[in-house]
Amino acid sequence: MTRIPERLRRLLPFARRPPGAAAPTTARPARQGHNLFEAAAVYVAACAEDDPARAEEAAHRVSPDALSFGVNELACRALVTLARQRNESPLAVARSLLGLRNDPV
């Protein structure tokens, strides 16, 4: 479980600072007022459409932790919806989407 933040740091370009590194000195616009789920939806859609500029803009709307939570929530909801549509278990759908064999774990 402790490896998850490190994995996210590698996946999300805005979070590639090493742990404990000082925040950039340039002030970012205030993050108040942005819906984390809206930011997560825009971020994931932009990544799926290979639009790094839009993904980066969405990533700056909320904190990295909030974006991570939103992306996780979106993934869970999408997986449950696909599993229901396919009449399969969420694990089977997840393994299928990732190209993994459906062997029991």
Side-chain angles (χ1 to χ4, degrees):
M1 190 70 163
T2 58
R3 293 184 358 209
I4 291 174
E6 181 57 35
R7 284 183 173 171
L8 288 173
R9 220 175 265 110
R10 282 186 271 134
L11 292 173
L12 303 175
F14 63 88
R16 288 195 178 145
R17 287 184 301 216
T25 55
T26 59
R28 287 188 176 167
R31 294 174 188 239
Q32 300 298 328
H34 287 289
N35 183 313
L36 72 97
F37 294 117
E38 181 181 327
V42 171
Y43 179 82
V44 171
C47 289
E49 296 168 354
D50 197 26
D51 186 349
R54 194 168 52 135
E56 188 71 21
E57 190 275 325
H60 288 338
R61 290 183 191 175
V62 295
S63 72
D65 289 340
L67 183 63
S68 173
F69 174 79
V71 168
N72 184 58
E73 187 66 23
L74 177 60
C76 290
R77 292 179 187 193
L79 189 61
V80 167
T81 300
L82 278 173
R84 286 180 182 157
Q85 287 176 353
R86 294 180 180 186
N87 200 27
E88 296 179 12
S89 74
L91 179 59
V93 173
R95 294 181 65 81
S96 171
L97 290 171
L98 293 170
L100 302 172
R101 296 179 304 181
N102 281 327
D103 295 340
V105 180

